[in-house]
Amino acid sequence: HRLVYNDTDGYPSARPDLEKALALDALHPEANFALFVLYGENFRRDREKRARWRANLVALDPRHVPLALREAEELLRDRRFEDA
C-alpha cells in the first residue's frame, strides 16, 4: 500500500520540480496538468490543490483535451459506479 498511496522513499518524484515551475509561472499548462494527474493518483493528497490546478487549466483553455480525457477516465474508473 505504501507504494500506491504515499510518496515513496528512494523513488524520484517530479513534484518538487513541477512546483518550482508553477512558482515561476502559475499558469504553466504542462506543470498544472502534471500535478493534477499526480495528485489524482493518490486520494490522500490535498484535493483543493488539485481543484486549483484544474481551474488554471480551464482558464487557459476551456477545451483542454488531456484534462477532459483524464476526467472522463477517472469517472469510468470511479468505484461508486461499480456499486450502482
Side-chain angles (χ1 to χ4, degrees):
H1 295 134
R2 181 170 171 73
L3 290 174
V4 175
Y5 297 116
N6 294 324
D7 286 335
T8 58
D9 295 329
Y11 288 91
S13 174
R15 186 172 45 103
D17 291 328
L18 292 168
E19 289 174 344
K20 286 179 189 176
L22 289 183
L24 296 173
D25 178 6
L27 295 179
H28 189 283
E30 289 86 2
N32 275 284
F33 183 68
L35 284 165
F36 176 84
V37 170
L38 181 68
Y39 271 58
E41 296 297 324
N42 187 336
F43 68 88
R44 292 183 183 177
R45 290 198 168 146
D46 189 342
R47 291 179 187 211
E48 289 180 19
K49 287 183 180 179
R50 191 168 196 246
R52 183 178 66 238
W53 295 317
R54 182 193 183 282
N56 288 346
L57 288 166
V58 172
L60 288 166
D61 180 4
R63 298 180 185 172
H64 191 276
V65 174
L67 176 63
L69 291 173
R70 184 65 184 204
E71 289 184 321
E73 178 185 343
E74 289 176 5
L75 280 174
L76 291 172
R77 290 186 303 161
D78 192 325
R79 292 180 185 173
R80 291 175 291 183
F81 287 120
E82 293 176 13
D83 295 337

Coordinates of all heavy atoms in Angstrom, one line a residue:
H1 N 0.8 -1.2 0.0 CA 0.0 0.0 0.0 C 0.9 1.3 0.0 O 0.4 2.3 -0.5 CB -0.9 0.0 1.2 CG -2.0 -1.1 1.1 ND1 -2.3 -1.9 2.2 CD2 -2.7 -1.5 0.1 CE1 -3.2 -2.7 1.8 NE2 -3.5 -2.6 0.6
R2 N 2.0 1.2 0.6 CA 2.9 2.4 0.7 C 3.2 2.9 -0.7 O 3.3 4.1 -1.0 CB 4.1 2.1 1.5 CG 5.0 3.3 1.6 CD 6.1 3.0 2.7 NE 7.1 4.0 2.6 CZ 7.0 5.2 3.1 NH1 5.8 5.6 3.6 NH2 8.0 6.1 3.0
L3 N 3.5 2.0 -1.6 CA 3.9 2.4 -3.0 C 2.7 3.1 -3.7 O 2.9 3.9 -4.5 CB 4.3 1.2 -3.8 CG 5.6 0.5 -3.4 CD1 5.9 -0.7 -4.2 CD2 6.8 1.5 -3.6
V4 N 1.5 2.7 -3.4 CA 0.4 3.3 -4.1 C -0.1 4.6 -3.4 O -0.4 5.5 -4.2 CB -0.8 2.3 -4.0 CG1 -2.0 2.9 -4.7 CG2 -0.4 1.0 -4.8
Y5 N -0.1 4.7 -2.1 CA -0.8 5.8 -1.5 C 0.1 6.9 -0.9 O -0.3 7.9 -0.5 CB -1.8 5.3 -0.4 CG -2.8 4.5 -1.0 CD1 -3.0 3.1 -0.7 CD2 -3.7 5.0 -1.9 CE1 -4.0 2.3 -1.3 CE2 -4.7 4.2 -2.5 CZ -4.8 2.9 -2.2 OH -5.8 2.2 -2.7
N6 N 1.4 6.7 -0.8 CA 2.3 7.7 -0.3 C 3.4 7.9 -1.2 O 3.8 7.1 -2.1 CB 2.9 7.2 1.1 CG 1.9 7.0 2.1 OD1 0.9 7.8 2.2 ND2 2.0 6.0 3.0
D7 N 4.1 9.1 -1.1 CA 5.3 9.3 -1.8 C 6.3 8.3 -1.2 O 6.3 8.0 0.0 CB 5.9 10.7 -1.5 CG 5.1 11.7 -2.3 OD1 4.5 11.4 -3.3 OD2 5.1 12.9 -1.9
T8 N 7.1 7.6 -2.1 CA 7.9 6.6 -1.6 C 9.4 7.0 -1.4 O 9.9 7.8 -2.2 CB 7.9 5.4 -2.6 OG1 8.3 5.8 -3.8 CG2 6.5 4.8 -2.7
D9 N 10.0 6.5 -0.4 CA 11.4 6.8 -0.2 C 12.3 6.1 -1.3 O 12.0 4.9 -1.6 CB 11.9 6.3 1.2 CG 11.1 7.0 2.3 OD1 10.8 8.2 2.1 OD2 10.9 6.4 3.4
G10 N 13.2 6.8 -1.8 CA 14.1 6.2 -2.7 C 13.7 6.3 -4.2 O 14.4 5.9 -5.1
Y11 N 12.5 6.7 -4.4 CA 12.0 6.9 -5.8 C 11.9 8.4 -6.1 O 11.4 9.2 -5.3 CB 10.6 6.3 -5.9 CG 10.6 4.8 -5.9 CD1 10.5 4.1 -4.7 CD2 10.8 4.1 -7.1 CE1 10.5 2.7 -4.7 CE2 10.8 2.7 -7.1 CZ 10.7 2.0 -5.9 OH 10.7 0.6 -5.8
P12 N 12.4 8.8 -7.2 CA 12.3 10.2 -7.6 C 10.9 10.7 -7.8 O 10.0 9.9 -8.3 CB 13.1 10.3 -8.9 CG 13.1 9.0 -9.4 CD 13.0 8.0 -8.3
S13 N 10.6 11.9 -7.5 CA 9.3 12.5 -7.7 C 9.5 13.8 -8.5 O 10.4 14.6 -8.2 CB 8.6 12.8 -6.3 OG 7.4 13.5 -6.6
A14 N 8.6 14.0 -9.4 CA 8.6 15.2 -10.2 C 8.0 16.4 -9.5 O 8.1 17.5 -9.9 CB 7.9 15.0 -11.6
R15 N 7.3 16.1 -8.4 CA 6.5 17.1 -7.7 C 7.3 18.4 -7.4 O 6.9 19.5 -7.7 CB 5.9 16.5 -6.5 CG 4.9 17.5 -5.8 CD 4.2 16.8 -4.7 NE 5.0 16.0 -3.8 CZ 5.4 16.3 -2.6 NH1 5.1 17.4 -2.1 NH2 6.2 15.5 -1.9
P16 N 8.5 18.2 -6.8 CA 9.3 19.5 -6.4 C 9.6 20.3 -7.6 O 9.5 21.6 -7.6 CB 10.5 19.0 -5.7 CG 10.2 17.6 -5.2 CD 9.2 17.0 -6.2
D17 N 10.0 19.7 -8.7 CA 10.3 20.5 -9.9 C 9.1 21.1 -10.5 O 9.1 22.2 -11.0 CB 11.0 19.6 -10.9 CG 12.4 19.2 -10.5 OD1 13.1 20.0 -9.8 OD2 12.8 18.1 -10.8
L18 N 8.0 20.4 -10.5 CA 6.7 21.0 -11.1 C 6.3 22.1 -10.2 O 5.8 23.1 -10.7 CB 5.6 19.9 -11.1 CG 5.9 18.7 -12.1 CD1 4.9 17.6 -11.8 CD2 5.8 19.2 -13.5
E19 N 6.4 22.0 -8.9 CA 6.0 23.1 -8.0 C 6.9 24.3 -8.2 O 6.5 25.5 -8.2 CB 6.0 22.7 -6.6 CG 4.8 21.8 -6.3 CD 4.8 21.1 -4.9 OE1 5.9 21.2 -4.2 OE2 3.8 20.6 -4.5
K20 N 8.2 24.1 -8.5 CA 9.1 25.2 -8.9 C 8.7 25.9 -10.2 O 8.7 27.1 -10.3 CB 10.6 24.7 -9.0 CG 11.2 24.4 -7.7 CD 12.6 23.8 -8.0 CE 13.3 23.3 -6.7 NZ 14.6 22.7 -7.0
A21 N 8.3 25.1 -11.1 CA 7.8 25.7 -12.4 C 6.6 26.6 -12.2 O 6.5 27.6 -12.8 CB 7.5 24.6 -13.4
L22 N 5.7 26.1 -11.3 CA 4.5 26.9 -11.0 C 4.8 28.2 -10.2 O 4.1 29.2 -10.3 CB 3.4 26.1 -10.3 CG 2.7 25.0 -11.1 CD1 1.7 24.3 -10.3 CD2 2.1 25.6 -12.4
A23 N 5.9 28.1 -9.4 CA 6.3 29.3 -8.7 C 6.8 30.4 -9.7 O 6.6 31.6 -9.4 CB 7.4 29.0 -7.7
L24 N 7.4 30.0 -10.8 CA 7.8 30.9 -11.8 C 6.7 31.4 -12.7 O 6.6 32.5 -13.2 CB 8.9 30.3 -12.6 CG 10.2 30.0 -11.9 CD1 11.1 29.2 -12.8 CD2 10.9 31.2 -11.4
D25 N 5.7 30.4 -13.0 CA 4.6 30.7 -13.9 C 3.4 29.9 -13.4 O 3.3 28.7 -13.7 CB 5.0 30.4 -15.3 CG 3.8 30.6 -16.3 OD1 2.8 31.1 -15.9 OD2 4.0 30.2 -17.5
A26 N 2.5 30.5 -12.7 CA 1.4 29.8 -12.1 C 0.5 29.2 -13.1 O -0.3 28.3 -12.8 CB 0.6 30.8 -11.2
L27 N 0.5 29.7 -14.3 CA -0.4 29.2 -15.4 C 0.4 28.3 -16.4 O 0.0 28.1 -17.5 CB -1.1 30.3 -16.1 CG -2.1 31.1 -15.2 CD1 -2.7 32.2 -16.0 CD2 -3.1 30.2 -14.6
H28 N 1.5 27.7 -16.0 CA 2.3 26.8 -16.9 C 1.4 25.6 -17.1 O 1.1 24.8 -16.2 CB 3.6 26.4 -16.2 CG 4.5 25.7 -17.1 ND1 4.3 24.4 -17.4 CD2 5.6 26.2 -17.7 CE1 5.3 24.0 -18.2 NE2 6.1 25.1 -18.4
P29 N 1.0 25.4 -18.4 CA 0.0 24.4 -18.6 C 0.5 22.9 -18.3 O -0.3 22.1 -17.7 CB -0.4 24.5 -20.1 CG 0.6 25.4 -20.7 CD 1.3 26.2 -19.6
E30 N 1.7 22.6 -18.7 CA 2.2 21.3 -18.5 C 2.4 21.0 -17.0 O 2.1 19.9 -16.6 CB 3.5 21.0 -19.3 CG 3.3 20.9 -20.8 CD 3.4 22.3 -21.5 OE1 3.6 23.3 -20.8 OE2 3.2 22.3 -22.7
A31 N 2.9 21.9 -16.3 CA 3.1 21.7 -14.8 C 1.7 21.6 -14.1 O 1.6 20.7 -13.3 CB 3.9 22.9 -14.2
N32 N 0.7 22.4 -14.5 CA -0.6 22.3 -13.9 C -1.2 20.9 -14.2 O -1.7 20.3 -13.3 CB -1.5 23.4 -14.4 CG -1.4 24.7 -13.6 OD1 -1.9 24.8 -12.5 ND2 -0.7 25.6 -14.2
F33 N -1.1 20.5 -15.4 CA -1.7 19.2 -15.8 C -0.9 18.0 -15.1 O -1.6 17.1 -14.6 CB -1.7 19.0 -17.3 CG -2.4 17.7 -17.7 CD1 -3.7 17.5 -17.5 CD2 -1.6 16.7 -18.2 CE1 -4.3 16.3 -17.9 CE2 -2.2 15.5 -18.6 CZ -3.6 15.3 -18.4
A34 N 0.4 18.1 -15.1 CA 1.1 17.0 -14.4 C 0.8 16.9 -13.0 O 0.6 15.8 -12.4 CB 2.6 17.3 -14.6
L35 N 0.7 18.0 -12.3 CA 0.3 18.0 -10.8 C -1.1 17.5 -10.7 O -1.4 16.8 -9.7 CB 0.6 19.3 -10.2 CG 2.1 19.6 -9.9 CD1 2.3 21.0 -9.6 CD2 2.6 18.7 -8.8
F36 N -2.0 17.9 -11.5 CA -3.4 17.5 -11.5 C -3.4 15.9 -11.6 O -4.1 15.3 -10.8 CB -4.2 18.1 -12.6 CG -5.6 17.6 -12.7 CD1 -6.6 18.2 -12.0 CD2 -5.9 16.6 -13.6 CE1 -7.9 17.7 -12.0 CE2 -7.2 16.1 -13.7 CZ -8.2 16.7 -12.9
V37 N -2.7 15.4 -12.5 CA -2.6 13.9 -12.7 C -2.0 13.3 -11.5 O -2.5 12.3 -10.9 CB -1.9 13.5 -14.0 CG1 -1.6 12.0 -14.0 CG2 -2.7 14.0 -15.2
L38 N -0.8 13.8 -11.0 CA -0.1 13.2 -9.9 C -0.9 13.2 -8.6 O -1.0 12.2 -8.0 CB 1.2 14.0 -9.7 CG 2.1 13.6 -8.5 CD1 2.7 12.2 -8.9 CD2 3.2 14.6 -8.3
Y39 N -1.6 14.2 -8.3 CA -2.5 14.3 -7.1 C -3.7 13.4 -7.3 O -4.3 13.0 -6.3 CB -2.8 15.7 -6.8 CG -1.8 16.3 -5.9 CD1 -0.4 16.4 -6.3 CD2 -2.1 16.8 -4.6 CE1 0.5 17.0 -5.4 CE2 -1.2 17.3 -3.8 CZ 0.2 17.4 -4.2 OH 1.1 18.0 -3.4
G40 N -4.2 13.2 -8.5 CA -5.3 12.4 -8.8 C -5.1 10.9 -8.5 O -6.0 10.1 -8.2
E41 N -3.8 10.5 -8.5 CA -3.5 9.1 -8.3 C -3.5 8.7 -6.8 O -3.4 7.6 -6.5 CB -2.1 8.8 -8.9 CG -2.0 9.0 -10.4 CD -2.9 8.0 -11.1 OE1 -3.0 6.8 -10.7 OE2 -3.4 8.4 -12.1
N42 N -3.5 9.7 -6.0 CA -3.5 9.5 -4.5 C -4.6 10.3 -3.8 O -4.6 11.5 -3.7 CB -2.1 9.9 -4.0 CG -1.9 9.6 -2.6 OD1 -2.8 9.4 -1.8 ND2 -0.7 9.5 -2.2
F43 N -5.6 9.5 -3.3 CA -6.7 10.2 -2.7 C -6.4 10.9 -1.4 O -7.2 11.7 -0.9 CB -7.9 9.2 -2.6 CG -7.7 8.1 -1.5 CD1 -7.9 8.3 -0.2 CD2 -7.1 6.9 -2.0 CE1 -7.7 7.3 0.7 CE2 -6.9 5.9 -1.0 CZ -7.2 6.1 0.3
R44 N -5.3 10.6 -0.8 CA -4.9 11.2 0.4 C -4.3 12.6 0.3 O -4.1 13.3 1.2 CB -3.9 10.4 1.2 CG -4.4 9.1 1.6 CD -3.4 8.3 2.4 NE -3.9 7.0 2.8 CZ -3.2 6.1 3.4 NH1 -2.0 6.3 3.8 NH2 -3.8 4.9 3.7
R45 N -4.0 13.0 -1.0 CA -3.4 14.3 -1.2 C -4.5 15.4 -1.2 O -5.7 15.2 -1.3 CB -2.7 14.3 -2.5 CG -1.4 13.5 -2.4 CD -0.5 13.8 -3.5 NE 0.8 13.2 -3.2 CZ 1.6 12.7 -4.2 NH1 1.2 12.8 -5.4 NH2 2.7 12.2 -3.9
D46 N -4.0 16.6 -1.1 CA -4.9 17.8 -1.0 C -5.8 18.0 -2.2 O -5.3 18.4 -3.3 CB -4.0 19.0 -0.8 CG -4.7 20.3 -0.4 OD1 -5.9 20.3 -0.6 OD2 -4.1 21.2 0.1
R47 N -7.1 17.8 -2.1 CA -8.0 18.0 -3.2 C -8.1 19.4 -3.6 O -8.5 19.7 -4.8 CB -9.3 17.4 -2.8 CG -9.3 15.9 -2.7 CD -10.6 15.4 -2.3 NE -10.5 13.9 -2.0 CZ -11.5 13.1 -2.3 NH1 -12.6 13.5 -2.7 NH2 -11.3 11.8 -2.0
E48 N -7.9 20.4 -2.7 CA -8.0 21.8 -3.0 C -7.0 22.2 -4.0 O -7.2 23.0 -4.9 CB -8.0 22.7 -1.8 CG -9.3 22.5 -0.9 CD -9.2 23.4 0.3 OE1 -8.4 24.3 0.4 OE2 -10.0 23.1 1.2
K49 N -5.7 21.7 -3.8 CA -4.7 22.0 -4.8 C -5.0 21.5 -6.1 O -4.9 22.1 -7.2 CB -3.4 21.4 -4.3 CG -2.7 22.1 -3.1 CD -1.4 21.4 -2.8 CE -0.7 22.1 -1.6 NZ 0.6 21.4 -1.3
R50 N -5.5 20.2 -6.2 CA -5.9 19.6 -7.4 C -7.0 20.5 -8.1 O -6.9 20.7 -9.3 CB -6.4 18.2 -7.2 CG -6.5 17.5 -8.5 CD -6.7 16.0 -8.3 NE -6.5 15.2 -9.5 CZ -7.5 14.6 -10.1 NH1 -8.7 14.5 -9.6 NH2 -7.2 13.9 -11.2
A51 N -8.0 21.0 -7.4 CA -9.0 21.8 -7.9 C -8.4 23.1 -8.5 O -8.9 23.6 -9.5 CB -10.1 22.1 -6.9
R52 N -7.4 23.6 -7.8 CA -6.8 24.9 -8.3 C -6.1 24.6 -9.6 O -6.2 25.4 -10.6 CB -5.8 25.4 -7.3 CG -5.2 26.8 -7.7 CD -4.3 27.3 -6.6 NE -3.1 26.5 -6.4 CZ -2.8 25.9 -5.3 NH1 -3.5 26.1 -4.2 NH2 -1.7 25.2 -5.2
W53 N -5.3 23.5 -9.7 CA -4.6 23.2 -11.0 C -5.6 23.0 -12.1 O -5.4 23.4 -13.2 CB -3.7 22.0 -10.8 CG -2.6 22.3 -9.9 CD1 -1.9 23.4 -9.8 CD2 -2.1 21.4 -8.8 NE1 -1.0 23.3 -8.8 CE2 -1.1 22.1 -8.2 CE3 -2.5 20.1 -8.4 CZ2 -0.4 21.5 -7.1 CZ3 -1.8 19.6 -7.4 CH2 -0.8 20.3 -6.7
R54 N -6.8 22.3 -11.8 CA -7.8 22.1 -12.8 C -8.4 23.5 -13.3 O -8.6 23.7 -14.5 CB -8.9 21.3 -12.3 CG -10.0 21.0 -13.3 CD -11.3 20.4 -12.7 NE -12.2 20.1 -13.7 CZ -13.0 21.0 -14.3 NH1 -12.9 22.3 -14.0 NH2 -13.8 20.7 -15.3
A55 N -8.6 24.4 -12.3 CA -9.2 25.7 -12.7 C -8.2 26.5 -13.5 O -8.6 27.2 -14.5 CB -9.5 26.5 -11.4
N56 N -6.9 26.4 -13.2 CA -5.9 27.0 -14.0 C -5.9 26.5 -15.5 O -5.8 27.3 -16.4 CB -4.5 26.8 -13.5 CG -4.2 27.6 -12.2 OD1 -5.0 28.5 -11.9 ND2 -3.2 27.2 -11.5
L57 N -6.0 25.2 -15.6 CA -6.1 24.6 -17.0 C -7.3 25.1 -17.7 O -7.2 25.4 -18.9 CB -6.1 23.1 -16.9 CG -4.7 22.5 -16.5 CD1 -4.9 21.0 -16.1 CD2 -3.7 22.6 -17.6
V58 N -8.5 25.1 -17.1 CA -9.7 25.5 -17.7 C -9.6 27.0 -18.1 O -10.1 27.4 -19.2 CB -10.9 25.3 -16.8 CG1 -12.2 25.9 -17.4 CG2 -11.1 23.7 -16.7
A59 N -9.0 27.8 -17.2 CA -8.8 29.3 -17.5 C -7.9 29.4 -18.8 O -8.2 30.3 -19.6 CB -8.2 30.0 -16.3
L60 N -6.9 28.6 -18.9 CA -6.0 28.7 -20.1 C -6.7 28.2 -21.3 O -6.5 28.8 -22.4 CB -4.8 27.8 -19.8 CG -3.8 28.4 -18.8 CD1 -2.8 27.3 -18.4 CD2 -3.1 29.6 -19.4
D61 N -7.4 27.1 -21.2 CA -8.1 26.5 -22.4 C -9.3 25.7 -21.9 O -9.2 24.6 -21.4 CB -7.1 25.6 -23.1 CG -7.7 24.9 -24.3 OD1 -8.9 25.2 -24.7 OD2 -7.0 24.1 -24.9
P62 N -10.5 26.3 -22.1 CA -11.7 25.6 -21.6 C -11.9 24.2 -22.3 O -12.6 23.4 -21.8 CB -12.8 26.5 -22.0 CG -12.2 27.8 -22.2 CD -10.8 27.6 -22.6
R63 N -11.2 24.0 -23.4 CA -11.3 22.7 -24.2 C -10.0 21.9 -24.0 O -9.6 21.2 -25.0 CB -11.6 23.0 -25.6 CG -13.0 23.7 -25.8 CD -13.2 24.0 -27.2 NE -14.4 24.7 -27.4 CZ -14.9 25.2 -28.5 NH1 -14.2 25.1 -29.6 NH2 -16.0 25.9 -28.5
H64 N -9.3 22.0 -22.9 CA -8.1 21.3 -22.7 C -8.3 19.8 -22.9 O -8.9 19.2 -22.0 CB -7.5 21.6 -21.3 CG -6.1 21.2 -21.1 ND1 -5.8 19.9 -20.7 CD2 -5.0 21.9 -21.3 CE1 -4.5 19.8 -20.6 NE2 -4.0 21.0 -20.9
V65 N -7.9 19.2 -24.0 CA -8.3 17.9 -24.3 C -7.7 16.9 -23.3 O -8.4 16.0 -22.9 CB -7.8 17.5 -25.8 CG1 -8.0 16.0 -26.1 CG2 -8.6 18.4 -26.7
P66 N -6.4 17.0 -23.0 CA -5.9 16.0 -22.0 C -6.6 16.0 -20.7 O -6.9 15.0 -20.1 CB -4.4 16.4 -21.8 CG -4.0 17.1 -23.1 CD -5.3 17.8 -23.5
L67 N -7.0 17.2 -20.2 CA -7.8 17.3 -19.0 C -9.2 16.6 -19.1 O -9.6 15.8 -18.3 CB -8.0 18.7 -18.6 CG -8.9 19.0 -17.4 CD1 -8.3 18.4 -16.1 CD2 -9.1 20.5 -17.2
A68 N -9.8 16.9 -20.2 CA -11.1 16.3 -20.5 C -11.0 14.7 -20.5 O -11.9 14.0 -20.0 CB -11.8 16.8 -21.8
L69 N -10.0 14.2 -21.2 CA -9.8 12.8 -21.3 C -9.5 12.2 -19.9 O -10.0 11.1 -19.6 CB -8.7 12.5 -22.3 CG -9.0 12.7 -23.8 CD1 -7.8 12.5 -24.6 CD2 -10.2 11.9 -24.2
R70 N -8.7 12.9 -19.2 CA -8.3 12.4 -17.8 C -9.5 12.3 -16.9 O -9.7 11.3 -16.2 CB -7.2 13.3 -17.2 CG -6.7 12.8 -15.9 CD -6.0 11.5 -16.1 NE -5.6 10.9 -14.8 CZ -4.6 10.1 -14.6 NH1 -3.9 9.7 -15.7 NH2 -4.3 9.7 -13.5
E71 N -10.3 13.3 -16.9 CA -11.5 13.4 -16.1 C -12.5 12.3 -16.5 O -13.1 11.6 -15.7 CB -12.2 14.7 -16.1 CG -11.3 15.8 -15.4 CD -12.0 17.1 -15.3 OE1 -12.6 17.6 -16.3 OE2 -11.8 17.7 -14.2
A72 N -12.7 12.1 -17.8 CA -13.5 11.0 -18.3 C -13.0 9.6 -17.9 O -13.8 8.8 -17.4 CB -13.6 11.1 -19.8
E73 N -11.7 9.4 -17.9 CA -11.1 8.2 -17.5 C -11.4 7.9 -16.0 O -11.7 6.9 -15.6 CB -9.7 8.2 -17.8 CG -8.9 6.9 -17.3 CD -7.4 7.0 -17.5 OE1 -7.0 7.9 -18.3 OE2 -6.7 6.2 -16.9
E74 N -11.2 9.0 -15.2 CA -11.4 8.9 -13.8 C -12.9 8.6 -13.5 O -13.2 7.8 -12.6 CB -11.0 10.1 -13.1 CG -9.5 10.3 -13.1 CD -9.0 11.6 -12.5 OE1 -9.8 12.4 -11.9 OE2 -7.8 11.9 -12.5
L75 N -13.8 9.1 -14.2 CA -15.2 8.8 -14.0 C -15.5 7.4 -14.3 O -16.3 6.7 -13.6 CB -16.1 9.7 -14.9 CG -16.4 11.1 -14.3 CD1 -17.1 11.9 -15.4 CD2 -17.1 11.1 -13.0
L76 N -14.9 6.9 -15.4 CA -15.2 5.5 -15.8 C -14.6 4.5 -14.7 O -15.1 3.4 -14.6 CB -14.5 5.2 -17.1 CG -15.3 5.9 -18.3 CD1 -14.5 5.7 -19.6 CD2 -16.7 5.3 -18.4
R77 N -13.5 4.9 -14.1 CA -12.9 4.1 -13.1 C -13.4 4.3 -11.7 O -13.0 3.5 -10.7 CB -11.3 4.3 -13.0 CG -10.6 3.8 -14.3 CD -9.1 3.9 -14.1 NE -8.8 5.3 -13.8 CZ -7.6 5.7 -13.3 NH1 -6.7 4.8 -13.0 NH2 -7.4 7.0 -13.1
D78 N -14.3 5.2 -11.5 CA -14.8 5.5 -10.2 C -15.5 4.3 -9.6 O -16.4 3.7 -10.2 CB -15.8 6.7 -10.3 CG -16.2 7.3 -8.9 OD1 -16.3 6.5 -7.9 OD2 -16.4 8.5 -8.8
R79 N -15.1 3.9 -8.4 CA -15.7 2.7 -7.7 C -17.2 2.9 -7.4 O -17.9 1.9 -7.3 CB -14.9 2.5 -6.4 CG -13.5 2.0 -6.7 CD -12.8 1.8 -5.4 NE -11.4 1.4 -5.7 CZ -10.5 1.3 -4.8 NH1 -10.8 1.4 -3.5 NH2 -9.2 1.0 -5.1
R80 N -17.7 4.1 -7.3 CA -19.1 4.3 -7.0 C -20.0 3.8 -8.1 O -21.1 3.3 -7.9 CB -19.4 5.8 -6.7 CG -18.7 6.3 -5.4 CD -18.9 7.7 -5.3 NE -18.1 8.4 -6.3 CZ -18.1 9.7 -6.4 NH1 -18.7 10.5 -5.5 NH2 -17.3 10.3 -7.3
F81 N -19.5 3.8 -9.3 CA -20.2 3.2 -10.4 C -20.4 1.7 -10.4 O -21.3 1.1 -10.8 CB -19.7 3.6 -11.8 CG -19.9 5.1 -12.1 CD1 -18.8 5.9 -12.3 CD2 -21.2 5.6 -12.3 CE1 -19.0 7.3 -12.7 CE2 -21.4 6.9 -12.6 CZ -20.3 7.8 -12.8
E82 N -19.4 1.1 -9.8 CA -19.4 -0.4 -9.6 C -20.6 -0.8 -8.7 O -21.2 -1.8 -8.9 CB -18.1 -0.9 -9.1 CG -17.0 -0.8 -10.1 CD -15.6 -1.2 -9.4 OE1 -15.6 -1.9 -8.4 OE2 -14.6 -0.9 -10.0
D83 N -20.9 0.0 -7.7 CA -21.9 -0.3 -6.8 C -23.3 0.0 -7.3 O -24.3 -0.6 -6.9 CB -21.8 0.6 -5.5 CG -20.5 0.2 -4.8 OD1 -20.0 -0.9 -5.0 OD2 -20.0 1.1 -4.0
A84 N -23.4 0.8 -8.4 CA -24.7 1.2 -8.9 C -25.3 0.1 -9.7 O -24.7 -0.8 -10.2 CB -24.6 2.4 -9.8

